[in-house]
Amino acid sequence: PSLSTNNLSEPELAQYRSILPDSKTQSASLSFARELERLKAQFDPAWDKYESRGKLNASRFLRGDDLDTVFDQWNMGREDVTEIECVIVLDTSGSMSGSKATNAYRAMYAIKFALDRIGANCSVLVFNSITETLYRATDRANNSVRDCGTTGSTNAEYAVKYATKLLAESEKPVKLFFAITDGEWNDTTICDPEIKKMNNAGVLTAFAFIPEEHQEIELTHEKAHFCEVGAVINNPFDLVGMARTIVRNAIGRRVTSNA
């Protein structure tokens, strides 16, 4: 089934401060970006040259090259498999304060920066007592991390429903949803059905749980709000590794569906 949109308005733009990424964040973002660029190049359309039929290459023909080598063929490729719409919802409630939020913001930046490099749409919504927009889909991360701090409770409903709207209205064939959080959400009666709808519509949904130091947790399907992929992230930069796996899987699934 297709994903149904809704009539929610775009959340207001968050008030944020711009922070220069540290060397570890820069390294992670550039590494992920290079990997995505290689993936994109793999599926880009291109000319296969020196073929025996196709479009005549006048230069090679006039200089007398063998007739089996004077044609070029256009290989359509499957560039649509790297056309991505991604929405990240980031928990900025009071319990995320301190190093958890610092690391979560930087990991989010690394993921967005890499997706920006291949022309993907990547929106970032932050939620606590309210939901705000940290990055619109076409905003670019560039060379600074947007950090709007932490405060309030953990109301994810508007963020999840607005993410549904963005993904439903996108024409991009690969659709991703990331939730980054450190605890349970206030109301699951709205969020969980929305995430199930995304799953049923082919959105690849991922839940990254950031625990307290030394906190042990078994992340069940229910605790992950029924996201397709769930992981406990002890080192927040494992988020980048998680994103690598998810993007590769999403592209692989798209290749398979086109076969």
Side-chain angles (χ1 to χ4, degrees):
S2 60
L3 192 60
S4 298
T5 188
N6 55 61
N7 60 1
L8 294 187
S9 301
E10 180 186 22
E12 291 187 7
L13 189 63
Q15 297 295 313
Y16 60 85
R17 56 192 179 120
S18 296
I19 302 171
L20 290 176
D22 59 275
S23 59
K24 187 175 181 181
T25 304
Q26 286 181 318
S27 176
S29 58
L30 288 171
S31 173
F32 188 20
R34 286 192 291 268
E35 182 174 343
L36 292 186
E37 286 169 342
R38 286 194 295 270
L39 270 172
K40 185 175 177 65
Q42 180 181 344
F43 298 106
D44 272 350
W47 285 101
D48 294 330
K49 298 184 178 180
Y50 302 96
E51 300 293 327
S52 59
R53 57 182 176 270
K55 180 180 178 182
L56 180 67
N57 185 293
S59 298
R60 292 202 297 274
F61 177 76
L62 292 174
R63 74 185 181 198
D65 285 13
D66 190 282
L67 288 178
D68 286 340
T69 66
V70 297
F71 295 95
D72 297 333
Q73 288 186 353
W74 180 247
N75 180 354
M76 289 302 293
R78 290 179 180 171
E79 61 180 343
D80 68 314
V81 303
T82 57
E83 293 293 306
I84 295 170
E85 188 78 41
C86 176
V87 182
I88 299 172
V89 298
L90 175 62
D91 181 354
T92 58
S93 62
S95 63
M96 283 285 287
S97 62
S99 61
K100 286 192 294 184
T102 299
N103 289 325
Y105 274 116
R106 280 153 179 74
M108 171 277 297
Y109 164 85
I111 296 168
K112 175 161 176 59
F113 178 90
L115 290 170
D116 287 351
R117 288 280 288 265
I118 62 166
N121 284 350
C122 182
S123 306
V124 181
L125 307 172
V126 291
F127 67 91
N128 43 65
S129 302
I130 60 172
T131 294
E132 295 178 307
T133 301
L134 188 60
Y135 292 93
R136 294 188 176 99
T138 54
D139 290 342
R140 292 293 173 257
N142 297 321
N143 295 315
S144 63
V145 182
R146 293 183 182 180
D147 186 325
C148 59
T150 57
T151 188
S153 58
T154 316
N155 297 326
E157 303 90 69
Y158 202 100
V160 173
K161 290 194 72 175
Y162 190 70
T164 299
K165 176 184 176 73
L166 291 174
L167 293 165
E169 295 179 359
S170 172
E171 295 181 356
K172 303 280 188 180
V174 179
K175 299 181 180 184
L176 307 174
F177 169 84
F178 279 92
I180 304 171
T181 182
D182 74 334
E184 296 183 1
W185 299 343
N186 289 357
D187 187 354
T188 60
T189 60
I190 295 174
C191 297
D192 290 1
E194 285 295 311
I195 291 173
K196 289 178 181 178
K197 288 178 190 175
M198 293 186 207
N199 292 334
N200 291 335
V203 177
L204 204 162
T205 58
F207 185 88
F209 181 89
I210 302 179
E212 298 283 353
E213 188 176 0
H214 307 306
Q215 179 185 3
E216 294 186 6
I217 182 171
E218 181 183 353
L219 191 60
T220 64
H221 203 43
E222 186 173 15
K223 286 181 179 177
H225 299 281
F226 300 96
C227 286
E228 193 172 351
V229 179
V232 177
I233 305 297
N234 291 301
N235 175 354
F237 279 95
D238 288 345
L239 269 172
V240 180
M242 182 184 184
R244 279 191 174 98
T245 302
I246 288 165
V247 172
R248 281 198 302 264
N249 288 347
I251 290 173
R253 190 159 71 180
R254 181 66 184 171
V255 171
T256 302
S257 70
N258 281 357

